[in-house]
Amino acid sequence: MNDMTTIDRTQRAYSAAAQAFLARKPALFINNEWVSSSHDQTIPVEDPSSGKIIGHAVDASDKDVDRAVAAARAAFDDGRWSGLPPMVRERTMIRLADLIEANADELAELEAIDNGKPKTMAGAVDVPGAASHIRFMAGWASKVNGEVVSPYTMPGGTVFGYTTKEPVGVCAQIVPWNFPLLMACLKIAPALAAGCTTVLKPAEQTSLTALRLADLIAEAGFPAGVVNIITGNGHTAGDRMVKHPDVDKVAFTGSTEIGKLINKNATDSLKRVTLELGGKSPVVIMPDVDVAAVAPGAAGAIFFNSGQVCVAGSRIYAHRSIFDEVIEGIAATTPFWAPRASLDPEAHMGPLVSKEQFDRVMGYIEAGKRDGASVAVGGDAAASDGGYYVNPTVLVDVNPQMSVVREEIFGPVVVAQRFDDIDEVAKAANDTCFGLGAGIWTKDVATMHKLASRIKSGTVWGNCHAVIDTALPFGGFKESGLGREQGRQGIEAYMETKTVIIQL
Ligand code: NAI
Ligand code: MG
């Protein structure tokens, strides 16, 4: 793998637009205005491709959170958003989607320098995905209706019963660092379509694109206070948002550990909660496949976004008869996935997001080795002058008790195991506390459907992986989450159903 160690991982120069953005004074977006924090604490903005601090964002204080929630509360309570004709809400959202597309290049660059993902990937996946979530949900604003229901237990004709859908209210939306802009838009879109108002907080590692999004929200013409964007730490600002008495709903994407904590903290006032949490998604490869075609798919399932994906295909189960061939096929893709600086146009995989994540992932690789796993591919950091690069890694000779098999690593590390028959692999695939995604690779239609029904996960992919479409519901079984986002279910998670019964 000489070609992987000789790569120059020096980060490229930023564009003038990105430099100007980074030079802005740290501020919060509340009531459609940029406002200063009540204190002078900030969080550093780091480029994980170089490990350099490139700017600062506000670390929101309790007072800042209260101010943002108060703005969202006022904007909800006076109906300045929910009271608009649905098609006006829809049009405003579509303007935002248009603005995201018009600023796609700058957004992709900011994402790349903040998160470490290749700019080309941010431009191909994150930015268009962000616009799609808003466009799709915009249409629901004018299309979610209640029903007229004839009551069963009353004598016919004596009462008139119907349901209406009402926005839940003020939302606290907390997103992680792996797809910062995409997650921010995925969160605000159904809230806005439903008529809710929101306070959104990006992860402390990745504030930039959410702040740039705030500019576009003001430009799109949303009334003041409908979307408020604050930056800051999770255990302080995030915690305050979740516990705030004026918040009606919490939507969170992130670790299972924090998801459970948030669910507890939101319980006192019975806030509505949706959680999109971790995973350890199996990728089952049946013996009938064309291995040369499937191995790159299995590699992409784990190495895309440096494996920092909730549905990353982090457990490969390949049939014994093709196991070695699958591992060789994945090994052959590693020059393609060799980590590079995010602004390198040849990059397909970047560094990990932070030193913390780098240490966590390297720690898992070491634990795997200690437990007896063998490194079939990678297993080490990539040479660089700063930055958090881990080489694509495949671990074999693992068993179901090892931490590398049980826990979410969130890095470019996959464990591969053999199986002999379909019952065995269905059981192994489900031997996890998670249930977010699963991939099945086979040409046999019956096998595909049988396995799809047996695997306990919110999404099952057949002959592909991590294909996400805003029209299709997404969420987790078991400890991978609560509720569903996207699709019709996605907007319904931001609405209450009211039943009206009128004696005639
Ligand atoms: P995290 O769950 O701590 O952070 C995610 C978001 O939650 C951030 O915006 C953070 O500010 C916020 N947060 C943290 N503590 C909070 C609290 N007490 N109350 C309210 N908000 C809070 O995830 P972290 O620490 O960045 O990553 C740790 C691990 O979590 C990763 O290694 C990975 O396994 C997993 N993870 C999973 C994600 C997914 O998409 N399923 C995304 C990010 C991390
Ligand atoms: Mg954390």
Side-chain angles (χ1 to χ4, degrees), residues 150-412:
S150 307
Y152 288 102
T153 54
M154 300 297 291
T158 57
V159 300
F160 178 58
Y162 63 93
T163 62
T164 58
K165 295 283 184 186
E166 297 185 3
V168 168
V170 174
C171 305
Q173 302 184 306
I174 300 175
V175 293
W177 42 260
N178 53 343
F179 293 90
L181 178 72
L182 184 67
M183 291 284 161
C185 291
L186 190 154
K187 286 282 182 285
I188 65 170
L192 294 173
C196 296
T197 62
T198 184
V199 178
L200 174 92
K201 190 191 81 62
E204 47 272 42
Q205 297 86 348
T206 53
S207 303
L208 298 183
T209 48
L211 293 171
R212 188 70 184 92
L213 179 68
D215 290 336
L216 306 181
I217 284 164
E219 195 179 338
F222 288 90
V226 172
V227 183
N228 305 278
I229 296 182
I230 60 171
T231 54
N233 278 300
H235 63 282
T236 50
D239 187 65
R240 182 100 178 164
M241 288 165 69
V242 169
K243 292 176 179 163
H244 205 292
D246 281 333
V247 167
D248 303 298
K249 172 180 166 105
V250 178
F252 171 77
T253 297
S255 64
T256 291
E257 182 198 354
I258 298 297
K260 288 177 182 175
L261 179 67
I262 285 177
N263 202 26
K264 275 197 198 110
N265 288 340
T267 287
D268 274 352
S269 54
L270 278 182
K271 294 184 174 74
R272 276 55 184 142
V273 177
T274 42
L275 303 171
E276 205 269 273
L277 309 176
K280 192 75 182 174
S281 300
V283 171
V284 177
I285 308 176
M286 297 305 288
D288 66 319
V289 300
D290 172 3
V291 176
V294 168
I302 183 66
F303 301 140
F304 169 69
N305 214 42
S306 304
Q308 301 169 130
V309 181
C310 53
V311 293
S314 52
R315 289 185 293 146
I316 289 176
Y317 294 93
H319 190 266
R320 188 175 302 278
S321 63
I322 53 164
F323 183 85
D324 292 341
E325 216 188 321
V326 167
I327 302 301
E328 281 160 29
I330 294 173
T333 69
T334 54
F336 176 87
W337 293 108
R340 293 170 183 268
S342 63
L343 297 182
D344 181 340
E346 282 180 55
H348 299 106
M349 188 172 99
L352 297 181
V353 71
S354 64
K355 173 80 166 55
E356 185 190 6
Q357 196 61 19
F358 175 88
D359 289 343
R360 190 193 315 258
V361 171
M362 292 309 293
Y364 271 112
I365 294 173
E366 291 315 314
K369 289 179 189 165
R370 263 199 318 275
D371 292 345
S374 314
V375 174
V377 177
D380 54 358
S384 69
D385 179 18
Y388 310 119
Y389 301 89
V390 175
N391 281 317
T393 296
V394 181
L395 300 178
V396 295
D397 302 327
V398 296
N399 67 55
Q401 281 72 48
M402 293 182 185
S403 64
V404 286
V405 177
R406 305 212 72 78
E407 296 170 22
E408 180 174 58
I409 298 176
F410 231 59

Side-chain angles (χ1 to χ4, degrees), residues 132-133 136-137 140 468-474 485-490:
S132 290
H133 283 296
F136 174 82
M137 280 298 168
W140 281 118
I468 305 277
D469 190 294
T470 177
L472 290 164
F474 182 83
E485 298 187 301
Q486 306 179 178
R488 188 187 181 109
Q489 286 87 341

Side-chain angles (χ1 to χ4, degrees), residues 436-462:
L436 197 56
I440 303 167
W441 298 79
T442 179
K443 290 179 184 161
D444 188 285
V445 179
T447 302
M448 180 69 81
H449 288 293
K450 273 186 209 155
L451 261 182
S453 80
R454 287 178 67 175
I455 294 180
K456 296 185 196 320
S457 71
T459 301
V460 175
W461 287 284

